[in-house]
Amino acid sequence: MTLQELKVQAVQTRKALLSMIYHAKTGHTGGALSSADIMTALFFHVLKLDPSNPFWEERDYFILSKGHCVEGYLAVLAERGFFPPEELETFSRFKSRLIGHPNNKIPGIEMNTGALGHGLSISVGMAIGLKKDRKTNRVFTLMGDGEQAEGSVWEAAMAAGHYKLDNLVAIIDRNHLQISGSTEDVMSLEPLAARWESFGWEVKEIDGNAMDEVVQALTSTPLKPEKPTLIIAHTIKGKGVKAMENVASWHHGVPNKGLYEEAMAAFTRLEEELRNAKL
Amino acid sequence: MPNSKACREAYTTVLLELAKNDPDIIVISSDARGSCSLNTYVKTLPDQFVEIGIAEQNEIGVAAGLSVVGKKPYVCAPACFLTARSLEQIKVDVAYSHQNVKILGVSGGISYGALGASHHTLHDIAALRCIPDLTLIIPCDAIQTAAALRSVAQTKDAVFFRIGREKVPAVYTEELGMEPFVFGKANTLKEGCDLTLVACGEMVYHALEAATLLKTQGIEARVLDMATLKPFDEEAIIKAAGETGAILTVEEHSINGGLGATVSQIVCANHPVPVTTLGLPDEYLVTGTSLELFSEYGLDAKGIAESARKLLQRKR
């Protein structure tokens, strides 16, 4: 996809996930919106994948470690053709397979996640396994910033550095908010880049809501041979819905009818502007 | 004790045999190569080994990831840490995600008797039995350990093995037809009509010794080896309740939530008869070798026989 197409697609991802949350009356809205550009770039441009063959041997692997932001994940999988987009309407409904966290019964989802701090360990195992077989598939994992307080993240970070996993790319959705408030109030993370660097990672910081920066960073990995890559993507929680932006309580939360319709209309206008824009 | 051998040695001997013929087998350890008798394996197949360091949560997550890309990971680590620190990874990354991960918890129960409560594993049966789609095997000797591992290697299921540390006497002989190991089936080691002793792991040997002791007193005890704690052989328990009228369970685990609790639940629901559950008390134990502790807490032959006699007084 071109950059312009990716930007339009990111708006569509936001519309799809907001619609899922509104109709299901449940969801993790803030983080799904903050990471929508990253998810769109990954699934529409970066990852090697084949929606008609989810277990294609040459695919790149993706693990959503911050599993509560499953709405964006499901939206991009449906849009890419892993399952029919109409199924998104069943999100969180009685006996639906589209539950509130990733579930590997769904084509395109490799692992069940949801308990925080697990995704990077799984990704390290995948990266080690691929290296043992001298395969060139890559592993991408998206973590939250609040999730960085889990000790297992750092166990995995240490192992990735030790094993020089340059086929592994981790991304932190650095939106500075978690369920109880600011990440720095709950459990301070800075200096985040230096911490990861000290574990043997090559780190790049980007604006995670700027599609050009997201695409540029994700397509130029590994940043250094024999080093795992960390992209710290600075984002805005609730990005795209003004009333939700940078408000901790939108970590999860369901918009009322007025806010939902207003947000969808704003997205539609933005989509039009992007389609008409000359790049 | 006759033909004593450590289950961990049998396990890693078979694992090496299997791995030599299957390059997808990867053994993962958390600085526990010695505890798990893995030194020969590591020397022989270094490319089929991953060291994770002292990080059990990461160890299970890495194993799950290896499974996603088609490897056959075998995690080997002390049971006490795996089932406490990594319980969530065992649940979510392995069992819930249906990954082909085999996990060996060594030195389970009170194998580390002298090292204190931090190293005693008395909660694992209770914890692991609550996780769906996870097979739990507690073999009683080295022969059964080897047979069970060979059978398990043929499956793509998530499996947890719990074994002890020290040498244990042989319950089975190679000729007894232990192979293939049958999941979810109790083995009747001795027939009897007065009561049934149900045991798992190292306790099976002590239960058999108790049955021999009871026989000299004119009491015929049936002995069941419940090597698979999950799936559980409910039929064998219901049959034993009906045919012998009293059941005594013996386990190297807390009296809460383990073999005894499982058997009681089945008996109550299907064929109520008196049940006594022998295990370790809900307290921090005294220190000593595991044999000293078995004796202290009534889990040796003498203690089991004594509890059996008391149980018979309750039998209608």
Side-chain angles (χ1 to χ4, degrees):
Chain A
M1 266 193 181
T2 66
L3 199 55
Q4 187 188 24
E5 286 167 338
L6 284 168
K7 285 180 181 178
V8 172
Q9 186 58 52
V11 179
Q12 289 174 344
T13 301
R14 287 190 164 89
K15 286 172 80 170
L17 73 89
L18 198 63
S19 171
M20 287 162 67
I21 291 167
Y22 175 69
H23 290 103
K25 297 186 171 52
T26 180
H28 289 83
T29 322
L33 286 168
S34 68
S35 57
D37 301 291
I38 297 161
M39 295 299 290
T40 302
L42 283 169
F43 278 85
F44 285 87
H45 191 74
V46 178
L47 298 176
K48 275 177 75 176
L49 47 84
D50 177 0
S52 66
N53 181 14
F55 295 106
W56 180 38
E57 285 221 344
E58 289 177 39
R59 72 193 185 277
D60 289 329
Y61 293 86
F62 173 74
I63 298 291
L64 182 64
S65 192
K66 47 174 257 175
H68 52 279
C69 296
V70 69
E71 298 89 348
Y73 194 2
L74 295 173
V76 293
L77 287 174
E79 282 289 315
R80 282 295 266 117
F82 282 90
F83 60 89
E86 305 83 67
E87 195 179 342
L88 294 177
E89 292 168 16
T90 70
F91 176 64
S92 290
R93 298 268 167 84
F94 183 56
K95 293 189 175 175
S96 171
R97 63 175 179 167
L98 306 190
I99 56 180
H101 288 94
N103 166 9
N104 63 1
K105 285 181 186 158
I106 298 158
I109 295 185
E110 307 280 354
M111 279 292 278
N112 297 343
T113 53
L116 292 172
H118 291 217
L120 193 61
S121 291
I122 294 163
S123 304
V124 165
M126 294 158 82
I128 290 174
L130 292 166
K131 274 199 177 281
K132 280 195 181 290
D133 285 344
R134 303 189 198 294
K135 288 185 175 168
T136 55
N137 320 46
R138 295 170 302 163
V139 183
F140 291 78
T141 186
L142 177 61
M143 295 181 283
D145 50 5
E147 183 179 5
Q148 302 297 301
E150 289 283 6
S152 50
V153 170
W154 300 96
E155 293 181 4
M158 195 184 296
H162 177 84
Y163 285 109
K164 301 180 169 49
L165 300 177
D166 54 8
N167 54 348
L168 173 62
V169 179
I171 306 151
I172 298 176
D173 180 16
R174 183 75 172 114
N175 58 35
H176 287 267
L177 288 178
Q178 57 192 104
I179 197 163
S180 301
S182 151
T183 53
E184 302 315 285
D185 288 341
V186 176
M187 183 51 63
S188 48
L189 298 178
E190 297 298 343
L192 189 56
R195 287 176 176 182
W196 281 87
E197 280 161 357
S198 75
F199 277 68
W201 290 61
E202 191 67 20
V203 180
K204 185 177 176 75
E205 301 201 46
I206 60 165
D207 178 343
N209 292 134
M211 189 57 81
D212 52 344
E213 288 193 36
V214 173
V215 169
Q216 201 279 331
L218 291 176
T219 52
S220 49
T221 60
L223 298 171
K224 263 199 179 166
E226 300 198 347
K227 277 193 163 196
T229 292
L230 178 76
I231 308 287
I232 299 178
H234 292 276
T235 63
I236 291 171
K237 198 144 183 171
K239 174 73 179 178
V241 182
K242 288 290 171 214
M244 296 181 186
E245 288 187 356
N246 288 319
V247 179
S249 60
W250 281 104
H251 176 86
H252 54 64
V254 180
N256 61 24
K257 189 165 185 283
L259 179 55
Y260 171 68
E261 286 174 354
E262 192 184 308
M264 293 300 268
F267 282 138
T268 302
R269 285 196 300 275
L270 177 59
E271 208 179 320
E272 284 304 308
E273 280 171 29
L274 288 168
R275 281 189 202 280
N276 296 331
K278 283 185 182 165
L279 290 177
Chain B
M1 286 191 274
N3 304 317
S4 290
K5 190 178 175 185
C7 294
R8 56 188 174 140
E9 284 168 17
Y11 187 95
T12 49
T13 301
V14 172
L15 189 51
L16 179 57
E17 258 173 53
L18 294 168
K20 277 180 181 169
N21 296 311
D22 187 347
D24 283 335
I25 289 181
I26 306 281
V27 171
I28 304 149
S29 178
S30 47
D31 194 27
R33 299 179 211 188
S35 307
C36 300
S37 308
L38 280 172
N39 290 323
T40 305
Y41 180 98
V42 178
K43 269 187 206 154
T44 313
L45 298 174
D47 291 340
Q48 285 172 249
F49 178 73
V50 176
E51 176 61 74
I52 286 298
I54 306 165
E56 292 80 10
Q57 296 182 56
N58 191 40
E59 180 179 34
I60 297 291
V62 165
L66 283 162
S67 162
V68 173
V69 297
K71 297 292 177 186
K72 297 171 186 167
Y74 285 74
V75 173
C76 300
C80 52
F81 308 130
L82 280 176
T83 56
R85 298 192 93 111
S86 319
L87 189 64
E88 193 177 78
Q89 279 79 6
I90 294 171
K91 171 189 149 191
V92 180
D93 306 354
V94 175
Y96 178 36
S97 295
H98 293 105
Q99 295 304 325
N100 180 11
V101 178
K102 317 299 187 204
I103 306 169
L104 175 70
V106 291
S107 305
I110 44 175
S111 296
Y112 289 136
L115 297 184
S118 62
H119 284 57
H120 298 166
T121 318
L122 302 179
H123 62 277
D124 54 346
I125 300 178
L128 296 170
R129 273 187 46 79
C130 295
I131 298 178
D133 300 330
L134 179 71
T135 297
L136 173 58
I137 295 171
I138 307 189
C140 66
D141 69 4
I143 292 165
Q144 192 181 41
T145 300
L149 178 56
R150 288 200 182 99
S151 294
V152 159
Q154 308 300 317
T155 75
K156 289 188 171 182
D157 299 334
V159 179
F160 192 102
F161 273 88
R162 191 240 237 184
I163 58 177
R165 177 178 176 81
E166 303 300 337
K167 290 180 176 179
V168 290
V171 167
Y172 292 96
T173 60
E174 302 284 2
E175 297 76 38
L176 253 183
M178 271 304 298
E179 292 186 51
F181 177 87
V182 181
F183 300 104
K185 280 285 164 209
N187 274 341
T188 306
L189 296 176
K190 184 181 170 307
E191 288 293 355
C193 54
D194 294 326
L195 83 162
T196 302
L197 308 180
V198 185
C200 60
E202 199 173 331
M203 287 296 113
V204 173
Y205 172 78
H206 299 280
L208 276 171
E209 292 282 288
T212 304
L213 206 57
L214 287 165
K215 192 175 169 66
T216 64
Q217 297 157 10
I219 300 167
E220 293 291 341
R222 179 179 300 184
V223 180
L224 295 185
D225 167 18
M226 194 61 73
T228 318
L229 272 288
K230 193 165 192 182
F232 199 88
D233 189 350
E234 297 200 9
E235 287 307 313
I237 299 300
I238 297 166
K239 189 164 174 270
E243 293 174 359
T244 70
I247 297 182
L248 187 146
T249 66
V250 200
E251 61 192 309
E252 192 180 343
H253 183 270
S254 165
I255 48 159
N256 293 328
L259 174 68
T262 309
V263 168
S264 301
Q265 193 177 8
I266 294 163
V267 170
C268 277
N270 295 282
H271 194 113
V273 296
V275 174
T276 296
T277 59
L278 290 186
L280 291 152
D282 186 22
E283 64 190 43
Y284 298 107
L285 309 180
V286 299
T287 53
T289 65
S290 51
L291 288 177
E292 285 167 338
L293 267 61
F294 293 156
S295 169
E296 172 71 15
Y297 295 104
L299 299 174
D300 59 355
K302 190 167 150 261
I304 296 167
E306 202 175 303
S307 292
R309 282 192 299 273
K310 283 186 191 163
L311 171 62
L312 285 176
Q313 290 167 15
R314 292 169 52 208
K315 189 176 160 184
R316 279 167 282 187

